[in-house]
Amino acid sequence: AQSVSQHNHHVILSEAASLELGCNYSYGGTVNLFWYVQYPGQHLQLLLKYFSGDPLVKGIKGFEAEFIKSKFSFNLRKPSVQWSDTAEYFCAVNGRQAGTALIFGKGTTLSVSS
Amino acid sequence: GAGVSQSPSNKVTEKGKDVELRCDPISGHTALYWYRQSLGQGLEFLIYFQGNSAPDKSGLPSDRFSAERTGGSVSTLTIQRTQQEDSAVYLCASKEAGGPNNEQFFGPGTRLTVL
């Protein structure tokens, strides 16, 4: 079955701490991988994406993620979080066929204290 | 430019009533998706429209759910005889034509509460 698993439901950090959010997926075939972020009261927006090439991808606001094919993982990282990173983070996957819908994980709520 | 818009932003209804949720995609985007975000469940795919092709309805949870897209633009998601478990945020997303690599842009969602 196609699925995305996010290991952490709620992460609480202090400013300047390092962040790593885990994401594993189960999906047959070649995949595209995404991290979306939803700031309080705002739309869901794309943080970064992986389609092919360099497995280490960089996104907005200093976030990066590494695709490890052998582990079916796409973990999100940031070396030093800020209070403004407080949000809900969703990992998602879809297939390479046109029109395939995104399959999302259940999300991780990140709370950063100043 | 304008993003994806949805209306209403909030909808409270009584169990058994029908509701209609509207999505206006980004102009020129031919692909449109509906997702549902339930508490603790993440986002679940409901239905997908691409141009004039038959929609992919594989994510609809029951036959009480239906959707249409008129003129390749605006889409309406209809839930008949609403149940309390239908309470969720319903999100619409659109993207340009082409392969799945294109980014899906999400609207603000409609929060549906069924009493």
Side-chain angles (χ1 to χ4, degrees):
Chain A
Q2 299 167 346
S3 65
V4 175
S5 175
Q6 292 183 237
H7 312 304
N8 313 99
H9 179 63
H10 193 180
V11 173
I12 302 172
L13 295 173
S14 299
E15 275 195 316
S18 64
L19 169 72
E20 181 160 2
L21 300 182
C23 172
N24 286 89
Y25 67 92
S26 173
Y27 199 101
T30 308
V31 297
N32 302 314
L33 293 154
F34 307 81
W35 276 96
Y36 280 84
V37 61
Q38 190 168 27
Y39 297 103
Q42 295 189 26
H43 302 189
L44 200 65
Q45 58 185 284
L46 184 66
L47 198 56
L48 49 77
K49 60 187 178 184
Y50 170 81
F51 295 142
S52 63
D54 188 345
L56 183 63
V57 292
K58 296 189 184 298
I60 59 172
K61 304 186 180 184
F63 286 91
E64 65 179 31
E66 185 175 13
F67 171 48
I68 303 179
K69 188 175 180 180
S70 61
K71 295 185 178 180
F72 301 94
S73 70
F74 190 56
N75 293 353
L76 181 70
R77 299 194 293 250
K78 185 171 183 178
S80 176
V81 295
Q82 301 173 316
W83 177 81
S84 58
D85 293 325
T86 295
E88 190 159 17
Y89 293 80
F90 295 92
C91 182
V93 63
N94 72 356
R96 292 293 174 90
Q97 299 85 4
T100 56
L102 292 167
I103 297 172
F104 286 87
K106 293 187 178 182
T108 297
T109 300
L110 173 65
S111 299
V112 180
S113 58
S114 57
Chain B
V4 177
S5 61
Q6 293 185 245
S7 60
S9 56
N10 281 284
K11 176 71 176 178
V12 180
T13 190
E14 295 178 347
K15 177 181 172 181
K17 301 278 188 173
D18 297 351
V19 295
E20 285 189 352
L21 313 179
R22 177 187 169 106
C23 171
D24 283 87
I26 293 172
S27 177
H29 282 192
T30 60
L32 186 148
Y33 301 78
W34 282 97
Y35 294 87
R36 176 170 72 174
Q37 186 175 17
S38 305
L39 192 63
Q41 294 298 315
L43 288 93
E44 304 168 284
F45 163 71
L46 297 177
I47 189 169
Y48 159 66
F49 295 90
Q50 172 60 60
N52 295 321
S53 302
D56 175 359
K57 304 178 182 180
S58 60
L60 295 178
S62 78
D63 59 7
R64 295 186 295 104
F65 287 71
S66 63
E68 63 178 22
R69 189 176 184 193
T70 53
S73 180
V74 171
S75 177
T76 301
L77 177 69
T78 301
I79 309 173
Q80 295 178 310
R81 305 181 303 281
T82 52
Q83 303 294 312
Q84 288 182 332
E85 60 262 30
D86 299 335
S87 296
V89 176
Y90 289 81
L91 293 169
C92 176
S94 72
K95 77 177 181 71
E96 296 177 1
N101 297 6
N102 294 341
E103 177 183 348
Q104 292 184 28
F105 291 85
F106 284 81
T110 293
R111 181 175 297 278
L112 174 65
T113 303
V114 182
L115 302 177

